[in-house]
Amino acid sequence: MEEFHKTKRLPPYVFEQVNRLKAKARAAGADIIDLGMGNPDLPTPKHIVDKLTEVVQDPRSHRYSASKGIQGLRKAQANYYQRRFGVKLNPDTQIVATLGSKEGFANMAQAITAPGDVILCPNPSYPIHAFGFLMAGASIRSVPAEPGPELFHALERAIIHSVPKPIALILCYPANPTAYCADLEFYKDVVAFARKHEIFILSDLAYSEIYFGDTPPPSVLQVPGAMDVTAEFTSLSKTFSMPGWRMGFAVGNERLINALSRVKSYLDYGAFTPIQVAATAALNGPDDCIRETRAIYKRRRDVVVESFGRAGFDIPAPEASMFCWAPIPEKFRHLGSLEFSKLLLEKAEVAVAPGIGFGEHGDDYVRIGLVENEQRLRQAARNVRRFLESADKTMHNVVQLETSS
């Protein structure tokens, strides 16, 4: 049967190929160390879980909730932005709670996109950044993911050569999957560009609290004038280890937030009220749990960089996020990221995310999630070392055979 129009615009989900092989290997008894999905393994802090279990006992909390988020939750998010970034937000007009940042992005695409609109999107980048807009009927023009001169050159070319003119630029720093980080000077230039050319900025700030240096990642909304052109998306998934709770936010420009709120009002009644109340407790509560989570990811990052490096798989140390963006070892690069990921799964029992799943410019890389404890990460490195040593021996034997013949 012929595919539907919107599903035809979506390529095969490359991660599914790795997932199928992973499930098959596990069914056969293999101990797969899964570093592929960015699925936090740390427990949600106890005070948040306690608040959920308290509120869920009240039958009134089982009714329909508020699509844009309960008032207390939106106030808590406004207070968080004031504390963390020094940005003042109106909880009634500049904040909407979303079912995670992924849903927020997808529904923002539905809210602001007309068929044929052009969106500027980093490549590689998290899939929803591009495909949310593709499903809404837009065309994607790729720009470099790394903040710097090449990105601005690409933006200038896009303004000149795109027909119609782009309506929005997507940013994601700290970046998924590349872990690139941006500073305020970069954001100032981006805001100036967006205001000059009258395009929107859609900023994904889901990893703002997972950083390893002394300088916290900024918000683009800290830049004067950014509120005129920007909506920013955040999530509690990584900050508070709440991925399955599906709680995030869109904040910023009133026109964009209003458009998203209207679309959401037709599609959902918001998250389950006890989850929203517990999320309010998370945002209003102590931040020692955030610091502990950050420290755990930093130790894991150091373990991966050190142990994989000794195994012969050199991995740059990311400054932020819960991922390492790892160049495929030179002798395997010709395979591409999908085949290399399959090989790691089969030979080393280690699952990673193929870079091609984040865009064609990611095909020389794999994404490694810091989602196992340090012992398991070291075990993954040992498995990889054995695989690489075995591959070297095989290559050596082939060369000797060719030489002798």
Side-chain angles (χ1 to χ4, degrees):
M1 294 176 66
E2 187 177 350
E3 280 194 87
F4 296 110
H5 170 70
K6 286 194 176 181
T7 58
K8 278 196 295 187
R9 303 200 79 194
L10 301 176
Y13 198 54
V14 297
F15 303 118
E16 186 56 36
Q17 297 186 46
V18 177
N19 290 341
R20 280 199 303 269
L21 290 174
K22 187 167 57 182
K24 184 178 178 181
R26 281 180 170 154
D31 178 22
I32 301 298
I33 301 173
D34 191 355
L35 310 179
M37 188 175 179
N39 195 5
D41 63 312
L42 301 175
T44 305
K46 185 177 183 300
H47 69 281
I48 302 172
V49 177
D50 287 347
K51 178 56 70 173
L52 174 74
T53 55
E54 173 196 328
V55 179
V56 81
Q57 302 302 321
D58 184 351
R60 292 173 299 176
S61 72
H62 296 199
R63 300 172 180 174
Y64 289 129
S65 193
S67 176
K68 68 184 295 185
I70 60 175
Q71 179 76 8
L73 178 59
R74 286 181 280 117
K75 284 184 176 178
Q77 177 70 346
N79 291 336
Y80 166 76
Y81 257 78
Q82 182 70 60
R83 289 193 313 271
R84 173 69 164 79
F85 304 112
V87 172
K88 187 174 182 180
L89 295 166
N90 184 327
D92 295 323
T93 61
Q94 293 179 312
I95 299 177
V96 59
T98 63
L99 307 180
S101 58
K102 187 174 184 180
E103 176 268 319
F105 247 96
N107 279 328
M108 181 65 83
Q110 295 293 331
I112 70 172
T113 307
D117 278 347
V118 175
I119 304 295
L120 305 176
C121 182
N123 188 334
S125 194
Y126 187 54
I128 197 64
H129 295 158
F131 293 115
F133 284 92
L134 282 171
M135 284 188 281
S139 297
I140 300 297
R141 185 177 181 116
S142 294
V143 296
E146 186 172 8
E150 280 305 310
L151 172 56
F152 285 101
H153 295 329
L155 294 179
E156 293 289 353
R157 289 195 300 270
I159 291 295
I160 294 169
H161 298 295
S162 298
V163 179
K165 186 189 79 173
I167 67 162
L169 163 65
I170 296 169
L171 300 178
C172 178
Y173 302 109
N176 180 8
T178 60
Y180 292 137
C181 293
D183 59 22
L184 266 181
E185 289 305 310
F186 168 80
Y187 282 141
K188 287 176 183 176
D189 291 340
V190 170
V191 169
F193 175 87
R195 288 168 61 89
K196 175 183 176 183
H197 296 288
E198 298 182 324
I199 66 173
F200 290 117
I201 298 169
L202 304 176
S203 169
D204 187 342
L205 197 62
Y207 295 91
S208 61
E209 298 297 352
I210 310 298
Y211 60 91
F212 309 127
D214 296 328
T215 305
S219 161
V220 65
L221 290 173
Q222 291 174 241
V223 176
M227 198 71 73
D228 296 337
V229 292
T230 303
E232 189 158 71
F233 299 82
T234 57
S235 167
L236 303 193
S237 295
K238 280 70 181 183
T239 303
F240 295 100
S241 299
M242 296 169 62
W245 299 53
R246 307 315 303 134
M247 181 52 61
F249 299 91
V251 309
N253 177 266
E254 290 188 11
R255 182 182 171 204
L256 291 172
I257 298 305
N258 180 60
L260 175 58
S261 299
R262 286 190 64 189
V263 166
K264 280 179 61 62
S265 71
Y266 283 92
L267 297 176
D268 69 66
Y269 288 105
F272 187 36
T273 296
I275 290 178
Q276 295 195 47
V277 175
T280 305
L283 289 168
N284 288 338
D287 63 359
D288 56 334
C289 57
I290 302 176
R291 292 196 299 272
E292 290 168 11
T293 296
R294 191 183 299 137
I296 289 170
Y297 281 126
K298 186 176 189 295
R299 288 196 299 270
R300 291 179 178 184
R301 178 204 67 169
D302 294 343
V303 165
V304 166
V305 171
E306 182 265 334
S307 61
F308 276 66
R310 283 193 291 106
F313 191 169
D314 292 327
I315 298 174
E319 296 177 34
S321 87
M322 54 187 290
F323 304 112
C324 293
W325 186 235
I328 297 171
E330 187 64 43
K331 59 178 170 283
F332 297 103
R333 203 161 293 170
H334 67 281
L335 296 175
S337 60
L338 180 56
E339 292 306 314
F340 178 68
S341 298
K342 291 178 180 178
L343 202 58
L344 274 186
L345 188 62
E346 178 188 353
K347 303 295 186 183
E349 297 186 337
V350 174
V352 298
I356 189 68
F358 304 97
E360 67 271 24
H361 295 301
D363 202 23
D364 288 340
Y365 297 80
V366 293
R367 191 191 71 178
I368 297 174
L370 307 175
V371 291
E372 288 275 12
N373 62 44
E374 293 173 40
Q375 180 181 347
R376 292 281 282 172
L377 292 173
R378 292 189 189 280
Q379 179 62 52
R382 287 194 292 270
N383 292 2
V384 168
R385 186 191 67 229
R386 285 194 292 270
F387 159 60
L388 294 176
E389 288 174 351
S390 173
D392 286 340
K393 287 178 185 175
T394 302
M395 189 74 68
H396 177 71
N397 292 338
V398 168
V399 170
Q400 279 194 324
L401 267 174
E402 290 176 346
T403 303
S404 61
S405 61

